[in-house]
Amino acid sequence: AAWERRAARALIALEGVDRAGKSTQGRRLVEALRAEGTRRPHLLFPADRTTEIGQLISSYLVREKNLEDHTIHLLFSANRWEHVPMMKEKLHQGVTIVVDRYAFSGVAFTSAKGNFCLDWCKQPDVGLPKPDLILFLQLSPEAAAERGNFGRERYETSSFQEKVLQSFYCLMEDKTLNWKKVDASKSIEDLHREIKSLAEETMQEVQNKPLGELWK
Ligand code: NYM
Ligand code: MG
């Protein structure tokens, strides 16, 4: 419908290895957009640990529970899909959504385990709302490890994160998606300014475009 296309919405995903600053930057971006009068910008964590599926994921990450590798992959995807009706409703109302991780984390982390092809990893997330902008917060695994709190959860080792980074680079070769790399070693403030201007640029551009479907 015409009203859907007129809505000034954008779906913006923040991606990167652990400790790159995605959550900090996500919060800062939503606060800044809100302060400048953007209508109800919304921050979402698709690795939302509060739902029933999210609680299973959480107990896996903190090593309370072991789950088979395909199973945990599908649970992460299910955790995104359970948010889709709400996301679509908001986007159609013209609300901008910032997601702290998305399907790209799903693919990058599972495929880093080896024995998984990228294509299998992508399938469960095919058809999700397509981000208008994917901000890749680039930080070396060594620099990430120095930021503290590293090594408590599953996946938090430099050697695994290095493999995750390689998987992200494969995903970034897809030119049908709007990837923008940003240098996450910068100060929080400088990085915030860069991210905010990229987000605002995207919000201007997508004003009249319909919502796309990921990897379709
Ligand atoms: N993670 C996150 C996955 O393995 N697959 C996914 O689909 C998503 C969204 O969960 N190490 C991993 C990456 C992180 C961990 O995420 C928890 P966060 O954003 O650090 O809470
Ligand atoms: Mg984490």
Side-chain angles (χ1 to χ4, degrees), residues 18 22-23 46-47 49 61 76 80 100-102 105-106 109-110 153-156 161:
D18 286 303
K22 295 179 295 301
S23 303
R49 302 191 189 192
L61 289 171
F76 270 116
R80 282 184 280 281
D100 181 348
R101 294 189 188 279
Y102 206 50
S105 278
F109 279 78
T110 298
E153 287 201 339
R154 246 183 248 262
Y155 305 146
E156 295 188 348
Q161 298 283 325

Side-chain angles (χ1 to χ4, degrees), residues 15-19 22-23 45-49 57 60-61 72-73 75-77 79-80 100-110 113 125 150 153-156 160-161 164 168:
E15 284 287 9
V17 294
D18 286 303
R19 306 283 174 260
K22 295 179 295 301
S23 303
F45 297 84
D48 176 355
R49 302 191 189 192
I57 292 172
Y60 171 80
L61 289 171
I72 183 65
H73 183 78
L75 286 172
F76 270 116
S77 177
N79 194 220
R80 282 184 280 281
D100 181 348
R101 294 189 188 279
Y102 206 50
F104 316 100
S105 278
V107 174
F109 279 78
T110 298
K113 293 176 174 178
D125 288 303
F150 204 64
E153 287 201 339
R154 246 183 248 262
Y155 305 146
E156 295 188 348
F160 191 78
Q161 298 283 325
V164 171
F168 272 125

